Amino acid sequence: MISSLPPQCSLCLGGESFAHHARHGDTEDTEIAQRENIHLVRRVSQRVARRDRNTRALLLLFSLFAVIPCVRAQQTGLIANTDGRKTISLDGQWHTIIDPYETGYYDYRYEPSANGYFKDAKPKTKSDLIEYDFDTSESLTVPGDWNTQKERLLLYEGTIWYKKAFDYQSKANTHLFVYFGAANYVADVYLNGEKIGRHEGGFTPFNFEITNLVREAGNSLIVKVDNKRRRDAVPTLITDWWNYGGLTRQVKLVETPASFVQDYFIQLQKGSRERISGWVRLNGDKLNQRVTVRIPEARISKSFTTDANGSAQIAFNADLTLWSPDNPKLYDVVIEAETDRVQDQIGFRSIETRGTEILLNGRPIFLRGICIHEEAPFRGGRAYSREDALTLLGWAKELGANFVRLAHYPHNEFMIREADRLGIMVWSEIPVYWTILWENPATLENARNQLGEMITRDKNRAAVIVWSMANETPLGAARLSFLKKLIEQARSLDSGRLISAAMERHYVDEKTQMIDDPLGEYLDVLGCNEYVGWYDGLPEKTDRLEWKTKYQKPLIMSEFGAEAPYGYHGDPLTRWTEEYQENFYQHQVSMLKKISFLRGTCPWILMDFRSPRRPLPGIQDFHNRKGLISDHGERKKAFYVMQKYYRELEARSQN
Ligand code: GCU
């Protein structure tokens, strides 16, 4: 039986109190009450044991009544590398019920109903009154957002219930989990009428154990997905991207042995090019085991012993070919325990800064980047597949990029794994975007949880070199303390990558740009968004600008761009024309070349994308048209300006 101690959440990787876990994302009163009961029971029973026998018997009876439902469905920490395990896909057609009034969840008194749609009830007699029926309801495809699957759902924000029926042959000594690549935004998950968990955050994975709940046949997996925007959420009410709702990424069953390799971190130690350090963590009932890390191609086999919590620190020297854009070398790495074996493809590289330099494997590098939203080329909607990733990253390569900023939230795992294979370095970010509620503890916990899940999923990917904490957040003490907490957490989870954020700049005088956001103090790399020539004056304004910073750190210009629908032509000063956008980039490039501490550029953006903030008819039509490529794959004139600049930089880097 997997330990019933509080799950090792991605926030802390250690046994924080239940209140801590209850606080992040689990707001349903009854569920919190139940969970609080568990906690209460434990503390009180210890005290009662010391006091008197009768009360103890009574309390035991009460605790059994209180905990039975939860014990059957365990929320465990995130399972790493599900591709390296035995899985059963649940993708495909799911029956759905569109529920704008959450009738399937609340009763008419707006109290959570015990007989909600999660019961998947059927009339037992001709007189029975059941007012919903999943099996005769319409379907939606999973993975996929609902907005682009049905015209009437394009602007829909609210709840949709998803149902998937499946059979499952249980196996001895085998545990079963249901794994979601992502669900936007809040997902309440039920199996066979039982609540198995809740997840908040639209762009990171989560899983629940269902070993004790799954049946041989006719399992009813039901997910209430609600993408309503909330002021206290992350992101908050306003974003410049479409609020695609639904089960937007893969859903699968994951089988593991009774004791299994839950997670591992195997990368080069900070600042080293030959010392590997990290950890392996087991879960299950046999936690104290011998684990071996093998890299067959390098004839490496190192064994360690896990402690009583199933954790083992690992460290050893290795003479490996280092991962780089020119040679994205990945090794087969086997993590073998006595009861489980997981294989992964891992690259090894060092990334650090020295003054204003960014050093990859000890050598200065310039990040020729491009920003990308997780929007599907050609068909639109949320991108989710390997093909989507290969198309977008292929276009980035064609531009001459060796780096991509995945905005403004963690993208699907295909994007990261293909970047690993293609040798494209990655900036990965959590959606702490614009003005969230800095002083709200639940908002902080939510952001911390998303940060933890992002790092947990992608920490073994050599391609990921930057963790970004935020985008264009306003100066202020509450904001700074909020972001400092995230930075501390990121450094405690992963000391080997660079920490950054997309900040803003200001004018010292009409010709001097200054980057001195107090946040810069706590970052390894400065990120700065600027739109001189689009939101701020005309393109030639850049010609007379000088850039300064109070930090001796490298700068990545994390956004700059201008809008033009493909095929709209005119003179270089006519807004919205390809010529204006081209003119904008020509001026930007000559300005960027003059910035002494610039070590990376990420134009906004690779491809036009849907945005609810862009209504201009015939031009935007609810799309942000700052793409260098249209959403139909057409290269705009500005694409070739950046391509030329990147080819020059690449040629210079090879000398
Ligand atoms: C902002 C923001 C983007 C937005 C872009 C724009 O800087 O970070 O999310 O899409 O500017 O205005 O086009």
Side-chain angles (χ1 to χ4, degrees), residues 96-100 138-141 144-160 162 227 242-246 610:
T96 56
I97 300 176
I98 302 165
D99 187 10
E138 58 193 316
S139 295
L140 285 171
T141 305
D145 62 274
W146 59 58
N147 310 71
T148 54
Q149 292 192 48
K150 306 230 157 131
E151 179 59 30
R152 71 184 200 283
L153 294 177
L154 182 61
L155 286 161
Y156 181 67
E157 295 184 296
T159 283
I160 292 187
Y162 286 76
N227 75 334
W242 207 264
N243 182 23
Y244 292 118
R610 240 199 201 94

Side-chain angles (χ1 to χ4, degrees), residues 145 147-149 151 154-155 239-244 373-376 378-382 409 604-605 607-614 620-625 631:
D145 62 274
N147 310 71
T148 54
Q149 292 192 48
E151 179 59 30
L154 182 61
L155 286 161
T239 66
D240 192 28
W241 69 81
W242 207 264
N243 182 23
Y244 292 118
H373 254 305
E374 193 183 41
E375 183 121 335
F378 309 110
R379 74 171 191 277
R382 257 295 156 245
Y409 37 77
W604 188 262
I605 186 164
M607 182 186 86
D608 293 355
F609 61 96
R610 240 199 201 94
S611 166
R613 301 178 75 248
R614 313 287 170 173
Q620 296 176 314
D621 298 317
F622 287 106
H623 282 74
N624 182 313
R625 298 287 182 199
D631 45 323

Side-chain angles (χ1 to χ4, degrees), residues 368 589 593 641-653 655:
R368 306 187 307 270
V589 168
K593 284 178 176 173
V641 176
M642 280 312 293
Q643 188 185 54
K644 179 167 169 288
Y645 173 44
Y646 281 175
R647 290 203 171 137
E648 280 167 23
L649 286 171
E650 190 170 8
R652 210 178 306 146
S653 72
N655 296 346

Side-chain angles (χ1 to χ4, degrees), residues 239-241 373 405 407-408 429 433-434 471-472 502 504 529-531 534-535 558-563 604-605 609 611 613-614 624-626:
T239 66
D240 192 28
W241 69 81
H373 254 305
R405 176 185 175 206
H408 294 287
E429 183 166 294
Y433 180 89
W434 286 348
N471 180 72
E472 291 187 356
E504 295 173 293
N529 297 357
E530 54 88 7
Y531 285 87
W534 182 253
Y535 295 124
S558 42
E559 282 184 38
F560 52 99
E563 297 203 36
W604 188 262
I605 186 164
F609 61 96
S611 166
R613 301 178 75 248
R614 313 287 170 173
N624 182 313
R625 298 287 182 199
K626 292 193 180 74

Side-chain angles (χ1 to χ4, degrees), residues 7 49 99 208 357 651:
D99 187 10
F208 304 112
E357 292 299 344

Side-chain angles (χ1 to χ4, degrees), residues 29 105-114:
D29 305 345
Y105 192 78
Y106 295 104
D107 63 21
Y108 77 117
R109 293 268 178 258
Y110 200 55
E111 291 295 332
S113 149

Side-chain angles (χ1 to χ4, degrees), residues 323 367 393 402-406 411 415-420 423-429 458 461-468 497-498:
W323 182 98
L367 303 175
L393 294 173
N402 60 7
F403 177 62
V404 290
R405 176 185 175 206
L406 302 182
H411 287 210
M415 213 46 184
I416 307 292
R417 292 244 178 210
E418 292 311 322
D420 231 16
I424 298 178
M425 294 172 282
V426 171
W427 160 309
S428 187
E429 183 166 294
D458 298 335
R461 305 281 76 77
V464 179
I465 60 167
V466 176
W467 298 123
S468 169
R497 285 183 175 83
L498 306 177

